[in-house]
Amino acid sequence: MPFVSIILPYYRKINYVKKTINSILNQSFKDFEIILVYDDEDLQDLHIIEGDFKNNSKIKIIKNSKNLGAGLSRNNGIKNAKGEIIAFIDSDDYWQPDKLERQTRFMQENNYHFTFCNYDKVISGKKTIKVESSKSVLNYNDLLYSNEIGLSTVQISKKILLPELFPPLKTKEDYVAWLKITKNNINAYNFPHSLVIWN
């Protein structure tokens, strides 16, 4: 049984998703599964993805019967996850090769249930901006003022996840999810290294 389940919703990002998936497969930490939730009624991209990765047993593809949006797709992914830790990534972001290893060890060594990290944001494929949290620990009150947690940086213990964590919103659904979790007196701990590239 995999230790980490990585939830990857997909909707029309075919020019990016192969790089995203390969950035996961190339992680130094190997005890994971990828749950790709295909959220498009048009199956053209699905055939391309299946053709590229059909022989990889780490990848499980779930196909929504209709377009649900990223939040509800993540909920579907969580329901099918086997890992003790749930990680999230969007289909146009990618991870540095040691992201899973370093962040998972950080969680285990400190007994943290909700962690995130800083990341680099690429503008127009060229300029890189470092995005850093102002605090090493964020609680519910901190998050009421702004969302400093990048979705593709998050790892959460499955034991603290709430049913239907992500709401059916088109944007900011991750922000609502972090508020729901931290409202239950769960803090989010920053692993202060840029381990994610955000396009």
Side-chain angles (χ1 to χ4, degrees):
M1 187 171 294
F3 190 69
V4 178
S5 294
I6 300 157
I7 311 300
L8 170 60
Y10 178 84
Y11 181 77
R12 302 187 183 182
K13 295 283 188 178
I14 199 62
N15 292 329
Y16 300 94
V17 71
K18 186 173 182 177
K19 184 174 183 179
T20 300
I21 293 173
N22 281 327
S23 82
I24 303 170
L25 295 176
N26 292 330
Q27 291 293 303
S28 55
F29 181 90
K30 299 297 184 182
D31 191 8
F32 65 82
E33 64 175 350
I34 300 171
I35 301 178
L36 187 150
V37 185
Y38 191 84
D39 190 37
D40 192 350
E41 295 175 44
D42 184 333
L43 301 182
Q44 181 177 349
D45 289 0
L46 177 62
H47 298 322
I48 296 172
I49 294 167
E50 288 178 332
D52 287 339
F53 298 102
K54 62 183 177 182
N55 295 322
N56 197 302
S57 61
K58 286 187 174 294
I59 302 174
K60 178 179 182 180
I61 297 177
I62 298 170
K63 185 171 72 68
N64 293 338
S65 58
K66 62 180 181 179
N67 177 246
L68 299 177
L72 297 186
S73 294
R74 291 189 197 102
N75 289 342
N76 284 348
I78 291 169
K79 290 173 186 174
N80 288 274
K82 297 178 180 178
E84 294 182 32
I85 291 175
I86 306 296
F88 301 99
I89 188 169
D90 281 338
S91 57
D92 57 353
D93 298 336
Y94 60 97
W95 290 343
Q96 300 291 359
D98 56 350
K99 188 268 186 191
L100 273 182
E101 180 179 3
R102 294 174 67 188
Q103 191 170 354
T104 301
R105 184 169 64 243
F106 176 68
M107 293 181 74
Q108 291 177 305
E109 290 177 350
N110 295 284
N111 196 30
Y112 291 154
H113 295 297
F114 182 0
T115 64
F116 66 102
C117 61
N118 301 328
Y119 60 94
D120 294 332
K121 188 171 183 177
V122 179
I123 308 297
S124 301
K126 297 179 181 179
K127 185 177 180 181
T128 300
I129 300 173
K130 289 192 175 296
V131 181
E132 300 180 347
S133 173
S134 61
K135 293 186 175 183
S136 59
V137 182
L138 296 175
N139 58 35
Y140 176 74
N141 288 330
D142 295 323
L143 287 171
L144 284 176
Y145 294 97
S146 67
N147 180 20
E148 295 191 19
I149 299 175
L151 179 127
S152 291
T153 80
V154 168
Q155 292 189 188
I156 304 178
S157 295
K158 194 175 185 181
K159 66 179 69 174
I160 70 164
L161 290 180
L162 303 171
E164 303 300 326
L165 177 63
F166 293 91
L169 300 175
K170 291 186 176 181
T171 61
K172 307 296 184 184
E173 75 286 343
D174 55 328
Y175 188 16
V176 175
W178 314 149
L179 287 170
K180 287 168 69 174
I181 291 175
T182 55
K183 194 172 185 179
N184 289 333
N185 296 316
I186 300 291
N187 291 328
Y189 294 89
N190 182 24
F191 182 58
H193 300 278
S194 295
L195 301 177
V196 179
I197 304 296
W198 192 299
N199 288 316

